[in-house]
């Protein structure tokens, strides 16, 4: 979708207006009586939308919301979701949102525009490349009308960048696993390369030379080679320490020798959504030309029960030198991540955030509304939580107490890769925390938020981008 900023509601196919201003807009277009009839016959309520069809341009007035001149952030979000839903089925090519119509409590024009564009991005996303008959979206451009030029232009630039990042994250997640394997992830990341972006790939031979025994244990049973993909964006000051984002990229997860049940197996193509989201966040940061140094790492592998597959009770040596007794081969995400975390140290990062569809326990604990947030640094935890609230891509802080660590004790190795059913999301985070000592680190378990039955949500790309925006603002 293309976004634009304008000071005036120029000729457009659809003009989106607030209900309390609808009569004035209609009268200016010579449609006052028709609008009066429409308003009388529809309910004034947040999240409601009604259309008035006109003979000229605009061809439609889309009226949203209640009668009050001011609204809350939550109600405005509902209004924009309703408008976006209507636009998704609109047959015109251009729409304009009269942003100045909306007065939102404790929210400025920039934030209002970002909320509106995020809603449009969500509603108009399509993934239909494998349909023999695909209905393309008719809408091509949405303009934001605001008297506040600088705020609108900035919001459009950031909204456009996030739209591209979300599209990349969702597309990667929605691809079938016979297409989206580790090599495909590497190829998609390679497309981000440019003047300030270098993309490199560590293959299995290099992993073996480095000593990534945990990563290689996951990929042992498949014929599709693993890749550790690294996107290095240098938008900040030369020599400044980067932020590192690491994503779990299991392109298909059978569970390995600990084979999953058939129920829900088809959803395991989404087990790479952590990697998809960090690549999406990198794409957004690059397109927005954020003044930050950023490393995005995708730990891409396939987990299959082949004849060479890792067995329960196998012991492997990680890149850190620590040994792990693999009690369950379906707890594979933490194995690729622990080696990726250790590798990330060579970048001397000022913050590291890993993202993974890591545990079913996260879904049990928080459902589909909030990602689980773990961190060993209070400032980083607050920054990520605040970014999630701002982007409405929320997370919930979970405990990372030392008392949980004993569940990972092994009589034969430095640790086990699982801690049993109790507190499964927490003990998984505790495992990763062992490899993040000395780092300013956070972990987002997005098993319940990264996808639905309708496909990839792109989460937490929006929260990560908001976190990077806030960090860039400090610069």
């Amino acid at each position: 979708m293309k976004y634009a900023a304008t000071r005036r509601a120029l000729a457009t196919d659809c003009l989106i207006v607030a209900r309390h201003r609808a009569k004035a807009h209609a009268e200016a277009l010579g449609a006052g009586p028709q609008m009066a009839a429409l308003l009388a016959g529809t309910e004034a309520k947040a999240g409601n939308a009604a259309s008035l069809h006109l003979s000229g341009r605009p061809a439609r007035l889309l009226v949203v919301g209640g009668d009050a001149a001011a609204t809350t952030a939550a109600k405005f979000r509902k209004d924009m979701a309703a408008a976006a839903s209507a636009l998704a089925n609109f047959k015109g090519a251009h729409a304009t949102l009269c942003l100045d119509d909306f007065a939102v409590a404790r929210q400025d024009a920039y934030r209002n525009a970002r909320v509106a564009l995020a809603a449009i991005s969500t509603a108009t996303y399509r993934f239909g490349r494998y349909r023999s008959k695909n209905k393309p979206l008719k809408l091509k451009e949405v303009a934001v009308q605001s008297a506040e030029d600088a705020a609108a232009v900035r919001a459009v630039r950031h909204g456009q960048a996030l739209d591209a990042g979300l599209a990349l994250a969702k597309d990667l997640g929605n691809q079938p696993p016979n297409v989206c394997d580790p090599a495909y992830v590497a190829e998609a990341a390679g497309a981000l390369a440019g003047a300030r972006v270098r993309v490199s790939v560590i293959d299995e031979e290099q992993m073996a030379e480095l000593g990534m025994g945990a990563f290689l244990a996951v990929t042992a049973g498949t014929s599709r080679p693993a890749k550790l993909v690294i996107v290095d964006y240098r938008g900040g000051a030369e020599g400044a320490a980067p932020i590192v984002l690491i994503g779990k990229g299991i392109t298909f997860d059978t569970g390995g020798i600990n084979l999953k049940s058939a129920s829900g197996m088809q959803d395991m193509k989404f087990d790479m959504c952590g990697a998809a989201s960090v690549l999406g966040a990198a794409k957004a940061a690059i397109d927005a030309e954020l003044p930050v140094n950023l490393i995005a790492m995708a730990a891409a592998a396939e987990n299959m029960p082949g004849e060479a597959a890792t067995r329960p009770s196998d012991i492997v040596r990680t890149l850190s030198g620590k040994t792990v007794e693999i009690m369950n081969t379906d707890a594979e995400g933490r194995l690729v991540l622990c080696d990726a975390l250790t590798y990330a140290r060579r970048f001397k990062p000022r913050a590291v955030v890993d993202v993974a569809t890591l545990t079913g326990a996260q879904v049990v604990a928080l459902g589909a509304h909030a990602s689980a947030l773990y961190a060993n640094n209070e400032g980083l935890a607050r920054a990520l939580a605040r970014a999630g609230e701002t982007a409405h891509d929320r997370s919930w802080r979970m405990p990372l107490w030392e008392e949980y660590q004993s569940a990972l004790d092994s009589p034969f190795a430095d640790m086990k890769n699982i801690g049993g059913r109790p507190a499964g999301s927490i003990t998984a985070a505790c495992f990763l925390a062992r490899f993040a000592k000395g780092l300013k680190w956070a972990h987002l378990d997005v098993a319940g938020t990264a996808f639905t039955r309708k496909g990839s949500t792109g989460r937490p790309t929006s929260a990560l981008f908001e976190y990077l925006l806030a960090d860039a603002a400090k610069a």
Side-chain angles (χ1 to χ4, degrees), residues 63-117:
V63 181
V64 297
D67 285 330
T71 188
T72 65
K75 289 180 178 179
F76 179 68
R77 191 176 294 109
K78 287 183 178 180
D79 290 344
M80 292 303 98
S85 180
L87 289 177
N89 298 308
F90 181 54
K91 291 182 171 56
H94 189 279
T96 300
L97 169 65
C98 292
L99 195 68
D100 289 344
D101 280 5
F102 299 89
V104 184
R106 296 186 294 278
Q107 205 158 271
D108 59 14
Y110 168 81
R111 183 52 54 191
N112 290 348
R114 286 289 311 281
V115 169
L117 296 179

Coordinates of all heavy atoms in Angstrom, one line a residue, residues 63-117:
V63 N -18.1 7.5 7.0 CA -18.3 8.2 8.2 C -18.1 7.2 9.4 O -18.6 6.1 9.4 CB -19.8 8.7 8.4 CG1 -20.0 9.4 9.7 CG2 -20.1 9.6 7.2
V64 N -17.2 7.6 10.3 CA -16.8 6.6 11.4 C -17.0 7.3 12.8 O -16.9 8.5 12.9 CB -15.4 6.1 11.2 CG1 -15.3 5.3 9.9 CG2 -14.4 7.2 11.3
G65 N -17.3 6.4 13.7 CA -17.2 6.9 15.1 C -18.5 7.4 15.7 O -19.6 7.2 15.1
G66 N -18.4 8.1 16.8 CA -19.5 8.6 17.5 C -19.7 10.1 17.3 O -19.0 10.7 16.5
D67 N -20.7 10.7 18.0 CA -21.0 12.1 17.8 C -20.1 13.1 18.5 O -20.0 14.2 18.2 CB -22.4 12.4 18.3 CG -23.5 11.8 17.3 OD1 -23.1 11.7 16.1 OD2 -24.6 11.4 17.7
A68 N -19.4 12.6 19.5 CA -18.5 13.5 20.3 C -17.4 14.0 19.5 O -16.8 13.3 18.7 CB -18.0 12.8 21.6
A69 N -17.0 15.3 19.8 CA -15.9 15.9 19.1 C -14.5 15.3 19.5 O -13.6 15.3 18.7 CB -15.9 17.4 19.3
A70 N -14.4 14.8 20.7 CA -13.2 14.2 21.2 C -13.4 12.8 21.5 O -14.6 12.3 21.8 CB -12.7 15.0 22.5
T71 N -12.4 12.0 21.5 CA -12.5 10.5 21.7 C -11.3 10.0 22.4 O -10.3 10.8 22.7 CB -12.7 9.8 20.4 OG1 -13.0 8.4 20.6 CG2 -11.4 9.9 19.5
T72 N -11.3 8.8 22.8 CA -10.2 8.2 23.5 C -9.3 7.4 22.5 O -9.8 7.1 21.4 CB -10.7 7.2 24.6 OG1 -11.3 6.1 24.0 CG2 -11.6 7.9 25.6
A73 N -8.1 7.1 23.0 CA -7.2 6.3 22.1 C -7.8 4.9 21.7 O -7.7 4.5 20.6 CB -5.9 6.1 22.8
A74 N -8.5 4.3 22.7 CA -9.1 3.0 22.4 C -10.2 3.1 21.4 O -10.3 2.3 20.5 CB -9.6 2.3 23.7
K75 N -11.1 4.1 21.6 CA -12.2 4.3 20.6 C -11.7 4.7 19.2 O -12.2 4.2 18.2 CB -13.1 5.3 21.2 CG -13.9 4.8 22.4 CD -14.9 5.9 22.9 CE -15.7 5.4 24.1 NZ -16.6 6.5 24.6
F76 N -10.7 5.5 19.2 CA -10.1 5.9 17.9 C -9.5 4.7 17.2 O -9.7 4.6 16.0 CB -9.0 7.0 18.1 CG -8.3 7.4 16.9 CD1 -9.0 8.2 15.9 CD2 -7.0 7.1 16.6 CE1 -8.4 8.6 14.7 CE2 -6.4 7.5 15.5 CZ -7.1 8.3 14.5
R77 N -8.9 3.8 17.9 CA -8.4 2.6 17.3 C -9.5 1.8 16.7 O -9.4 1.2 15.6 CB -7.6 1.8 18.3 CG -6.8 0.6 17.7 CD -6.0 -0.1 18.8 NE -4.9 0.7 19.3 CZ -4.9 1.2 20.5 NH1 -5.9 0.9 21.4 NH2 -3.9 2.0 21.0
K78 N -10.6 1.7 17.4 CA -11.8 1.0 16.9 C -12.3 1.7 15.6 O -12.7 1.0 14.6 CB -12.9 0.9 17.9 CG -12.6 0.0 19.1 CD -13.8 -0.1 20.0 CE -13.6 -1.0 21.1 NZ -14.8 -1.1 22.1
D79 N -12.3 3.0 15.6 CA -12.8 3.7 14.5 C -11.9 3.5 13.2 O -12.4 3.3 12.1 CB -12.8 5.3 14.8 CG -13.9 5.6 15.7 OD1 -14.8 4.8 16.0 OD2 -13.9 6.8 16.3
M80 N -10.6 3.5 13.5 CA -9.7 3.3 12.4 C -9.8 1.8 11.8 O -9.6 1.6 10.6 CB -8.3 3.6 12.8 CG -8.1 5.1 13.0 SD -8.5 6.2 11.6 CE -10.2 6.8 12.1
A81 N -10.0 0.9 12.7 CA -10.2 -0.5 12.3 C -11.4 -0.6 11.5 O -11.4 -1.4 10.4 CB -10.2 -1.4 13.5
A82 N -12.5 0.1 11.8 CA -13.7 0.0 11.0 C -13.5 0.6 9.7 O -14.0 0.1 8.6 CB -14.8 0.7 11.8
A83 N -12.8 1.8 9.6 CA -12.6 2.4 8.4 C -11.7 1.6 7.5 O -11.9 1.4 6.3 CB -11.9 3.8 8.6
A84 N -10.7 1.0 8.1 CA -9.7 0.1 7.3 C -10.4 -1.1 6.7 O -10.2 -1.5 5.6 CB -8.6 -0.3 8.2
S85 N -11.3 -1.7 7.5 CA -12.1 -2.8 7.1 C -13.0 -2.5 5.9 O -13.1 -3.2 4.9 CB -13.0 -3.4 8.2 OG -13.7 -4.5 7.8
A86 N -13.6 -1.3 5.9 CA -14.4 -0.8 4.8 C -13.5 -0.6 3.5 O -13.9 -0.9 2.4 CB -15.1 0.4 5.1
L87 N -12.3 0.0 3.7 CA -11.4 0.3 2.6 C -10.9 -1.0 2.0 O -10.6 -1.1 0.8 CB -10.2 1.1 3.1 CG -10.5 2.6 3.4 CD1 -9.3 3.2 4.0 CD2 -11.1 3.3 2.2
A88 N -10.8 -2.1 2.7 CA -10.3 -3.3 2.2 C -11.2 -3.9 1.1 O -10.7 -4.7 0.3 CB -10.1 -4.4 3.3
N89 N -12.5 -3.5 1.2 CA -13.4 -4.0 0.2 C -13.9 -2.9 -0.8 O -14.8 -3.1 -1.6 CB -14.7 -4.6 0.9 CG -14.3 -5.8 1.7 OD1 -13.7 -6.7 1.3 ND2 -14.7 -5.7 3.0
F90 N -13.2 -1.8 -0.7 CA -13.6 -0.6 -1.5 C -13.1 -0.8 -3.0 O -12.0 -1.3 -3.2 CB -12.9 0.7 -0.9 CG -13.2 1.9 -1.6 CD1 -14.5 2.3 -1.9 CD2 -12.2 2.8 -2.0 CE1 -14.8 3.5 -2.5 CE2 -12.5 4.0 -2.7 CZ -13.8 4.3 -2.9
K91 N -13.9 -0.4 -3.9 CA -13.6 -0.6 -5.3 C -12.8 0.6 -5.9 O -12.4 0.5 -7.1 CB -14.8 -0.9 -6.1 CG -15.4 -2.3 -5.7 CD -16.6 -2.6 -6.6 CE -17.1 -4.0 -6.4 NZ -17.4 -4.4 -5.0
G92 N -12.6 1.6 -5.2 CA -11.8 2.8 -5.7 C -10.3 2.6 -5.5 O -9.9 1.7 -4.7
A93 N -9.5 3.4 -6.1 CA -8.1 3.3 -6.0 C -7.5 4.2 -5.0 O -6.3 4.0 -4.6 CB -7.5 3.6 -7.4
H94 N -8.2 5.3 -4.6 CA -7.6 6.3 -3.7 C -8.5 6.6 -2.6 O -9.8 6.8 -2.8 CB -7.2 7.5 -4.5 CG -6.4 8.5 -3.8 ND1 -7.0 9.4 -2.9 CD2 -5.1 8.8 -3.8 CE1 -6.0 10.2 -2.4 NE2 -4.9 9.8 -2.9
A95 N -8.0 6.8 -1.4 CA -8.8 7.2 -0.2 C -8.0 8.3 0.5 O -6.8 8.3 0.5 CB -9.1 6.1 0.7
T96 N -8.8 9.2 1.2 CA -8.1 10.2 2.0 C -8.8 10.2 3.4 O -10.0 10.3 3.5 CB -8.3 11.6 1.4 OG1 -7.6 11.6 0.1 CG2 -7.6 12.7 2.3
L97 N -8.0 10.2 4.4 CA -8.5 10.3 5.8 C -8.3 11.7 6.3 O -7.2 12.3 6.3 CB -7.6 9.4 6.7 CG -7.8 9.5 8.2 CD1 -9.3 9.1 8.6 CD2 -6.8 8.7 9.0
C98 N -9.4 12.3 6.7 CA -9.4 13.7 7.3 C -9.0 13.6 8.8 O -9.8 13.5 9.7 CB -10.8 14.3 7.2 SG -11.3 14.7 5.5
L99 N -7.7 13.5 9.0 CA -7.1 13.3 10.3 C -7.5 14.4 11.3 O -7.7 14.2 12.4 CB -5.6 13.1 10.2 CG -4.9 12.5 11.4 CD1 -5.3 11.1 11.6 CD2 -3.4 12.6 11.3
D100 N -7.6 15.6 10.7 CA -7.9 16.8 11.6 C -9.3 16.7 12.2 O -9.6 17.5 13.1 CB -7.7 18.1 10.8 CG -6.3 18.4 10.5 OD1 -5.4 17.8 11.1 OD2 -6.0 19.2 9.6
D101 N -10.1 15.9 11.7 CA -11.5 15.7 12.3 C -11.4 15.0 13.6 O -12.4 15.2 14.4 CB -12.3 14.8 11.4 CG -12.9 15.5 10.2 OD1 -12.5 16.7 9.9 OD2 -13.7 14.9 9.4
F102 N -10.3 14.4 13.9 CA -10.3 13.5 15.1 C -9.4 14.1 16.2 O -8.2 14.4 16.0 CB -9.7 12.1 14.8 CG -10.6 11.4 13.8 CD1 -10.4 11.5 12.4 CD2 -11.6 10.6 14.2 CE1 -11.2 10.8 11.5 CE2 -12.4 9.9 13.3 CZ -12.2 10.0 11.9
A103 N -10.0 14.4 17.3 CA -9.3 14.9 18.5 C -9.2 13.7 19.5 O -10.2 13.3 20.1 CB -10.0 16.1 19.1
V104 N -8.0 13.2 19.7 CA -7.8 12.0 20.5 C -7.1 12.4 21.8 O -6.0 13.0 21.8 CB -7.1 10.9 19.8 CG1 -7.0 9.6 20.6 CG2 -7.7 10.6 18.4
A105 N -7.6 12.0 22.9 CA -7.0 12.4 24.2 C -5.6 11.9 24.4 O -5.4 10.7 24.1 CB -7.9 11.8 25.4
R106 N -4.7 12.7 24.7 CA -3.3 12.4 25.0 C -2.6 11.7 23.8 O -1.8 10.9 24.0 CB -3.2 11.5 26.3 CG -3.6 12.2 27.5 CD -3.3 11.4 28.8 NE -4.2 10.2 28.8 CZ -5.4 10.1 29.2 NH1 -6.0 11.2 29.6 NH2 -6.1 9.0 29.2
Q107 N -3.0 12.1 22.6 CA -2.4 11.6 21.4 C -2.3 12.7 20.3 O -3.3 13.3 20.0 CB -3.3 10.4 20.9 CG -2.6 9.4 20.1 CD -3.3 8.0 20.0 OE1 -3.1 7.2 20.9 NE2 -4.2 7.9 19.0
D108 N -1.1 12.8 19.8 CA -0.9 13.9 18.8 C -1.2 13.4 17.4 O -1.5 12.3 17.1 CB 0.5 14.5 18.9 CG 1.6 13.4 18.7 OD1 1.3 12.3 18.2 OD2 2.8 13.7 19.1
A109 N -1.0 14.4 16.4 CA -1.3 14.1 15.0 C -0.4 12.9 14.5 O -0.9 12.1 13.7 CB -1.1 15.3 14.2
Y110 N 0.8 12.9 14.9 CA 1.7 11.8 14.5 C 1.2 10.5 14.9 O 1.1 9.5 14.1 CB 3.1 12.1 15.0 CG 4.0 10.9 14.8 CD1 4.7 10.6 13.6 CD2 4.3 10.0 15.9 CE1 5.5 9.5 13.5 CE2 5.1 8.9 15.7 CZ 5.7 8.6 14.5 OH 6.5 7.5 14.4
R111 N 0.8 10.4 16.2 CA 0.4 9.1 16.7 C -1.0 8.7 16.1 O -1.2 7.5 15.7 CB 0.3 9.1 18.2 CG -0.1 7.8 18.9 CD 0.7 6.6 18.4 NE 2.2 6.8 18.6 CZ 3.1 6.0 18.0 NH1 2.7 5.0 17.3 NH2 4.4 6.3 18.2
N112 N -1.8 9.7 15.9 CA -3.1 9.4 15.3 C -2.9 8.8 13.9 O -3.6 7.9 13.5 CB -4.0 10.7 15.2 CG -4.5 11.1 16.5 OD1 -4.4 10.4 17.5 ND2 -5.0 12.4 16.6
A113 N -2.0 9.4 13.1 CA -1.8 9.0 11.7 C -1.2 7.6 11.8 O -1.5 6.7 10.9 CB -0.8 9.9 11.0
R114 N -0.2 7.3 12.7 CA 0.4 6.0 12.8 C -0.7 4.9 13.1 O -0.6 3.8 12.5 CB 1.5 6.0 13.9 CG 2.8 6.7 13.5 CD 3.6 6.0 12.4 NE 3.8 4.6 12.8 CZ 4.7 4.1 13.6 NH1 5.5 5.0 14.3 NH2 4.8 2.8 13.9
V115 N -1.6 5.2 14.0 CA -2.6 4.3 14.4 C -3.5 4.0 13.1 O -3.9 2.8 12.8 CB -3.5 4.8 15.5 CG1 -4.8 3.9 15.7 CG2 -2.7 4.8 16.8
A116 N -3.9 5.0 12.4 CA -4.7 4.9 11.2 C -4.0 4.0 10.2 O -4.6 3.1 9.6 CB -5.1 6.2 10.7
L117 N -2.7 4.3 9.9 CA -2.0 3.6 8.9 C -1.7 2.1 9.3 O -1.7 1.3 8.4 CB -0.7 4.3 8.6 CG -0.8 5.7 8.0 CD1 0.5 6.4 7.7 CD2 -1.7 5.7 6.7

